[in-house]
């Protein structure tokens, strides 16, 4: 498999990802997967069900049409790993309340702008006059704080362990440089308790997991061991190019055929066994686990979110602003939770494509391009139809 | 020609919009001076331009008329600026209808405090692009608004052109079996603007493709006179045009992902930000639908033009009753190319 794992194989093409798109290697892998499925006796009626935990994989699977080229004996379940999708409405309401303070410049990543709160989105709040600005990094927010010493700059921190180190390092830098008008509205969440919640949910039918690539770059492979040891399910950490996903599928099938359940690493070119110690150190310095955190569609999950430690309280927007922290119940007809757990397919939700569309999302999975429902609307539903 | 007053102010103030001598100085010294080289604007200070009908009738049998507003941030970006954009946008909207652009109007709304030097650079670029496109700026207007009432500079151009007898491209004319041509790299303008905003921690060596397309369209129409339709892929990119033509023609479109020209650096930027180059805007790329027997000739003519070197036939019109745009991925998979929703928003990781 050197052509998959060795980018140097196509040196000089100008596009460093080219080897991971190679058509012939892809066809070979697809053929191998078909053989593996045959030997397992898997077909459309009794498929092997693989959950990709990370929204980046959901997007890649749809964008490259992977579900359509693989035999019907493998089925992808789209897991809860889109951090924008699982933001509860109450937290968006809190963002809008903070942004409504005239002293505040509220900064956020772009894709959080369209997530519906109970009354409006950040995009609508901006149109109503709140000073809300899109940034690409928490350091951009810190720079805004430097440039506007008379304003309170709040950064809307969200995401799994992938984005947590950058936020933590920004808080540490704010402290070092004595920037007093910067704070963080912390909505960071951790991936492992979420996978556990999926594994513990009634009706769980996942045969194996495609593990998140970027999160694992930070946390390494060890935190996933309980999935193999306690739940007897294999997990393969994978990259995001089409060949990465195909190879991970083949590696999972190989384990399933042997009756094995181990944590394996398809993405070794990026993901070290032990993760990134410096990033983990920054996370541990700034954040501590919350008792519980509310997830859209999934409800409250114990010890699944982090907050700012007491030591950095002055950079914590929850402490500096009157944040209500009210739990807002998801719209009753919305079935994002069932889709997130892999119990329902997006199109089986009552609202899919009718009340809930990318233009007017009801549920969070329709909001981000990494949400399973938005991906289905944008790219999907083509198996056999075209 | 009488010597013009030299404008002494360094920045534009509300006085320059007041209708008095300050405004006259601004108009004469900044705009008329720039357009003068081309002999574009008549010295006479009438309230309207007068276009002799006989000239128009000699060139074709229908008048094309269009308007567009330009609000780009930043005003200057690699490969162009708001002045160049203001000419190209309107000229291209005329040209894609088969019209030869004849005359433009140009109205500017200026935020007080804008450096006069900035305005001069924009005016010079506007005039140079008009010359390049073979079109005259024949009338204009200037307004100055208080700080905060607009963002630095807004420009609106309107244009008239003449459509040659016999040409009748239309968005509803695509038929199953027709071929789809894209004339250049998808997403260059959108990527250049994203990079030029300076908010990204990466630098991307991409210039905007902003250019007047009259020449390349003329070449295409000469080689493939049966061309069904032409659109320039601006907001919403190639994806938006494909969906518009599918809907208007009540047909489907099937495109092959590998055949769509995209620069590796634009693809890389898009991968990083979770964007799709097919949805990023262009300002110098056309999508054309050609009858199958003229497709190769049309492609050759476009490729022979300097603005069409990367052109490719990217797909086929189908008889899909659901009017979908479907893309074949390199592994033989398919995905839907849906209509864009709002502005593309970069994702977080």
């Amino acid at each position: 498999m050197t052509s998959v794992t060795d980018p140097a194989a196509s040196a000089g093409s100008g596009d460093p990802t080219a080897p991971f798109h190679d058509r012939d290697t892809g066809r070979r892998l697809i053929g191998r997967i078909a053989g593996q499925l045959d030997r397992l006796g898997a077909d459309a009626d009794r498929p092997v069900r693989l959950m990709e935990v990370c929204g980046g994989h959901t997007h890649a699977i749809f964008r490259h049409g992977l579900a359509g080229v693989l035999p019907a004996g493998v089925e992808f379940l789209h897991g809860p790993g889109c951090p924008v999708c699982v933001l509860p409405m109450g937290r968006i309401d809190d963002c809008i309340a903070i942004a409504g303070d005239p002293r505040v410049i509220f900064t956020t990543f772009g894709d959080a702008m369209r997530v519906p709160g109970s009354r409006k989105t950040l995009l609508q709040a901006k149109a109503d006059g709140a000073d809300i600005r899109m940034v690409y990094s928490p350091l951009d927010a810190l720079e805004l704080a430097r440039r506007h010493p008379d304003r309170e700059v709040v950064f809307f921190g969200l995401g799994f362990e992938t984005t947590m180190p950058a936020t933590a390092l920004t808080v540490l830098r704010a402290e070092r440089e004595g920037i007093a008008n910067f704070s963080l509205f912390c909505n960071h969440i951790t991936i492992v308790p979420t996978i556990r919640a999926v594994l513990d949910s009634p009706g769980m039918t996942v045969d194996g997991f495609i593990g998140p690539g970027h999160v694992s770059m930070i946390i390494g492979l060890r935190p996933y061991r309980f999935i193999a040891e306690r739940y007897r399910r294999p997990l393969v950490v994978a990259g995001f190019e089409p060949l990465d996903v195909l190879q991970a599928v083949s590696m999972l099938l190989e384990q399933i055929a042997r009756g094995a359940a181990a944590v394996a690493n398809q993405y070794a070119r990026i993901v070290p066994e032990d993760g990134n110690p410096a990033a983990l150190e920054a996370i541990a310095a700034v954040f501590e686990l919350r008792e519980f955190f509310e997830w859209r569609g999934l409800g409250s999950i114990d010890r699944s979110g982090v907050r700012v430690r007491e030591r950095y309280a002055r950079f914590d927007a929850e402490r500096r602003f009157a944040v209500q922290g009210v739990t807002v119940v998801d719209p009753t007809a919305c079935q994002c939770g069932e889709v997130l757990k892999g119990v329902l397919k997006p199109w089986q939700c009552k609202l899919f494509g009718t009340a809930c569309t990318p233009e007017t999302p009801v549920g969070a999975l329709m909001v981000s391009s990494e949400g399973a429902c938005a991906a289905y609307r944008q790219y999907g539903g083509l198996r056999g139809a075209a | 020609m009488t010597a013009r007053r030299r404008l002494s102010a360094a920045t534009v103030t509300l006085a320059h919009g007041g209708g008095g001598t300050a405004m006259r100085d601004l108009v004469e010294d900044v705009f008329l001076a720039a357009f003068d080289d081309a002999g574009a604007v008549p010295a006479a200070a009438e309230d309207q331009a007068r276009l002799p009908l006989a000239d128009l009738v000699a060139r074709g049998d229908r008048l094309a008329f269009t308007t567009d507003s330009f609000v780009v941030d930043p005003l200057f970006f690699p490969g162009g600026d708001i002045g160049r954009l203001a000419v190209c946008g309107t000229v291209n909207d005329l040209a894609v209808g088969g019209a030869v652009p004849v005359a433009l109007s140009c109205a500017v709304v200026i935020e007080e405090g804008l450096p006069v030097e900035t305005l001069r650079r924009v005016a010079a670029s506007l005039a140079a692009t008009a010359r390049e496109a073979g079109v005259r700026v024949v009338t204009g207007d200037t307004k100055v608004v208080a700080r905060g009432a607009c963002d630095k500079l807004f420009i609106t151009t309107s244009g008239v052109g003449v459509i040659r007898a016999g040409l009748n491209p239309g968005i509803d004319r695509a038929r199953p079996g027709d071929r789809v041509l894209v004339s250049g790299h998808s997403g260059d303008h959108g990527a250049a603007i994203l990079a030029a905003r300076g908010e990204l921690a990466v630098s991307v060596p991409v210039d905007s493709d902003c250019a007047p397309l009259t020449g390349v369209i003329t070449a295409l129409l000469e080689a493939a006179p049966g061309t069904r339709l032409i659109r320039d892929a601006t907001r919403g990119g190639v994806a938006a045009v494909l969906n518009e033509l599918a809907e208007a023609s009540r047909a489907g479109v099937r495109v092959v992902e590998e055949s769509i020209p995209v620069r590796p650096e634009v693809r890389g930027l898009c991968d990083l930000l979770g964007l799709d180059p097919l949805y990023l805007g262009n300002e110098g790329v056309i999508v054309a639908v050609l009858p199958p027997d003229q497709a190769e000739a049309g492609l050759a003519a476009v490729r022979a033009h300097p603005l069409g070197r990367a052109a490719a036939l990217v797909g086929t019109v189908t008889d899909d009753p659901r009017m979908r745009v479907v893309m074949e991925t390199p592994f033989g998979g398919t995905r839907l190319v849906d209509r864009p929703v709002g502005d593309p928003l970069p994702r977080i990781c």
Side-chain angles (χ1 to χ4, degrees):
Chain A
M1 292 309 305
T2 52
S3 60
V4 174
T5 49
D6 181 13
S10 83
S13 77
D15 178 359
T17 69
F20 305 102
H21 293 263
D22 181 68
R23 182 201 291 255
D24 293 334
T25 314
R27 296 235 162 103
R28 276 202 303 280
L29 268 170
I30 291 165
R32 184 201 295 178
I33 289 168
Q36 288 175 305
L37 289 168
D38 279 347
R39 287 191 290 281
L40 280 168
D43 57 23
D45 296 328
R46 283 180 309 155
V48 174
R49 309 184 85 200
L50 304 180
M51 174 174 278
E52 81 278 3
V53 173
C54 171
H57 285 136
T58 305
H59 190 83
I61 287 167
F62 282 100
R63 186 175 150 70
H64 301 291
L66 297 184
V69 295
L70 286 173
V74 63
E75 184 183 349
F76 289 109
L77 302 175
H78 314 298
C82 163
V84 173
C85 301
V86 297
L87 272 176
M89 285 202 285
R91 302 297 284 191
I92 297 290
D93 290 355
D94 290 342
C95 288
I96 291 168
I98 294 171
D101 185 324
R103 294 169 302 165
V104 166
I105 298 175
F106 192 85
T107 58
T108 174
F109 293 128
D111 50 358
M113 296 283 276
R114 271 203 285 262
V115 182
S118 65
R119 285 184 306 280
K120 53 184 162 180
T121 64
L122 284 167
L123 212 53
Q124 287 160 335
K126 178 175 158 65
D128 292 345
D131 191 346
I132 299 172
R133 306 188 193 183
M134 208 166 76
V135 291
Y136 294 86
S137 145
L139 287 172
D140 297 343
L142 196 62
E143 178 57 30
L144 272 174
R146 272 189 214 105
R147 287 212 312 263
H148 300 277
D150 53 325
R151 303 284 299 276
E152 288 287 330
V153 174
V154 180
F155 175 69
F156 182 21
L158 77 163
F160 289 102
E161 284 86 344
T162 320
T163 51
M164 234 185 254
T167 311
L169 289 167
T170 304
V171 169
L172 293 173
R173 184 183 282 193
E175 191 203 33
R176 206 166 57 238
E177 297 182 9
I179 299 174
N181 62 326
F182 171 83
S183 63
L184 163 70
F185 183 44
C186 181
N187 288 271
H188 283 294
I189 46 185
T190 67
I191 195 84
V192 168
T194 322
I195 300 179
R196 199 191 307 270
V198 168
L199 284 163
D200 285 337
S201 66
M204 197 281 296
T205 57
V206 181
D207 296 310
F209 291 92
I210 297 174
H214 295 145
V215 168
S216 307
M217 178 173 80
I218 309 298
I219 68 174
L221 303 182
R222 202 169 302 121
Y224 304 119
R225 279 193 192 151
F226 75 98
I227 299 169
E229 287 162 8
R230 284 246 308 281
Y231 293 88
R232 300 297 304 159
R233 296 290 192 281
L235 178 142
V236 175
V237 169
F240 296 89
E241 301 301 334
L243 295 188
D244 288 326
V245 177
L246 290 175
Q247 193 184 22
V249 168
S250 179
M251 289 168 73
L252 283 167
L253 293 176
E254 193 268 329
Q255 286 201 41
I256 291 168
R258 282 193 290 120
V263 176
N265 189 4
Q266 183 277 334
Y267 205 24
R269 67 181 188 273
I270 299 286
V271 175
E273 186 85 23
D274 297 318
N276 182 331
L280 289 171
E281 199 178 309
I283 291 174
V286 174
F287 298 122
E288 62 188 2
L289 279 174
R290 297 175 194 261
E291 292 301 305
F292 57 87
F293 193 75
E294 191 75 21
W295 291 57
R296 188 186 294 237
L298 293 174
S300 176
I301 300 178
D302 286 352
R303 303 173 73 76
S304 64
V306 299
R307 65 171 165 245
V308 178
R309 284 185 189 279
E310 182 64 38
R311 165 150 196 229
Y312 299 99
R314 63 202 173 96
F315 300 106
D316 184 0
E318 273 177 64
R319 291 172 168 105
R320 281 169 68 148
F321 297 89
V323 173
Q324 295 247 318
V326 173
T327 301
V328 180
V329 181
D330 289 328
T332 47
C334 174
Q335 295 180 295
C336 279
E338 270 60 44
V339 176
L340 280 173
K341 285 182 282 200
V343 177
L344 282 188
K345 289 286 183 188
W347 69 84
Q348 293 169 325
C349 170
K350 293 188 285 283
L351 303 184
F352 180 78
T354 52
C356 188
T357 65
E359 292 83 357
T360 54
V362 177
L365 291 179
M366 196 58 97
V367 175
S368 162
S369 67
E370 299 196 354
C373 296
Y376 258 94
R377 277 287 292 192
Q378 191 182 354
Y379 294 141
L382 282 174
R383 194 191 274 254
Chain B
M1 182 155 299
T2 55
R4 290 214 164 94
R5 273 165 199 269
R6 187 69 191 164
L7 187 69
S8 53
T11 58
V12 178
T13 63
L14 287 172
H16 291 112
T21 54
M23 183 169 113
R24 194 187 63 204
D25 292 351
L26 181 83
V27 170
E28 289 194 349
D29 187 40
V30 175
F31 290 102
L32 295 187
F35 298 143
D36 230 20
D37 303 345
V41 175
E46 296 294 349
D47 278 347
Q48 73 293 126
R50 298 169 187 184
L51 309 176
L53 279 178
D55 286 1
L56 303 178
V57 171
R59 298 198 222 181
D61 66 353
R62 281 151 300 160
L63 201 62
F65 179 39
T66 189
T67 188
D68 209 342
S69 296
F70 301 86
V71 294
V72 66
D73 173 42
L75 296 179
F76 300 88
F77 46 84
D81 58 81
I82 191 170
R84 181 167 178 81
L85 207 55
V87 172
C88 294
T90 293
V91 161
N92 292 346
D93 281 351
L94 292 170
V96 294
V100 175
V102 173
L104 295 185
S105 73
C106 173
V108 295
V109 177
I110 307 165
E111 183 185 19
E112 79 177 309
L114 186 81
V116 169
E117 187 49 36
T118 302
L119 208 54
R120 284 188 204 282
R121 284 174 63 198
V122 170
S125 169
L126 216 144
T129 312
R131 277 193 293 277
E132 184 183 336
V135 67
R136 303 191 322 147
V137 180
V138 294
T139 184
D141 181 51
T142 308
K143 294 282 187 297
V144 181
V145 297
R147 194 177 281 273
C150 89
D151 182 16
K152 299 185 279 292
L153 178 64
F154 295 165
I155 301 181
T156 299
T157 54
S158 299
V160 291
V162 181
I163 305 173
R164 194 149 52 82
L167 287 180
N168 194 24
I171 190 79
D172 58 349
R173 291 190 56 223
R175 293 292 168 266
D178 286 350
R179 306 290 298 280
V180 180
L181 177 147
V182 173
S183 71
H185 294 105
S186 185
D188 283 5
H189 178 72
I193 295 292
L194 264 178
R197 285 192 185 143
E199 295 160 354
L200 303 173
V202 289
S203 71
V204 186
V206 180
D207 282 353
S208 166
D209 54 339
C210 177
L213 291 165
T214 324
V216 70
I217 289 172
T218 303
L220 170 65
L221 288 173
E222 273 169 23
T227 296
R228 314 276 199 210
L229 65 95
I230 309 171
R231 277 286 165 107
D232 56 337
T234 54
R235 259 180 308 186
V238 171
V241 176
L242 295 176
N243 276 287
E244 281 166 27
L245 79 89
E247 195 170 335
S249 297
R250 308 201 64 74
V253 178
R254 193 171 179 96
V255 290
V256 177
E257 181 164 26
E258 285 164 301
S259 67
I260 298 173
V262 180
R263 287 182 203 278
E265 50 270 41
V266 172
R267 190 183 299 287
L269 178 74
C270 285
D271 281 351
L272 199 65
L273 298 177
L275 303 175
D276 188 332
L278 268 194
Y279 292 87
L280 285 185
N282 285 96
E283 291 292 342
V285 168
I286 54 167
V287 176
V289 173
L290 313 178
D293 59 334
Q294 295 181 12
E296 292 299 335
L299 176 66
V302 171
R303 278 199 178 150
H305 192 278
L307 294 177
R309 286 204 192 100
L313 295 171
V314 302
T316 310
V317 178
T318 67
D319 60 1
D320 180 1
R322 291 169 66 186
M323 300 177 284
R324 289 172 303 182
V325 179
V326 174
M327 177 176 282
E328 277 174 34
T329 70
F331 308 127
T334 51
R335 63 175 161 101
L336 207 59
V337 179
D338 206 356
R339 280 165 200 79
V341 181
D343 262 346
L345 297 176
R347 69 159 191 250
I348 66 168
C349 64

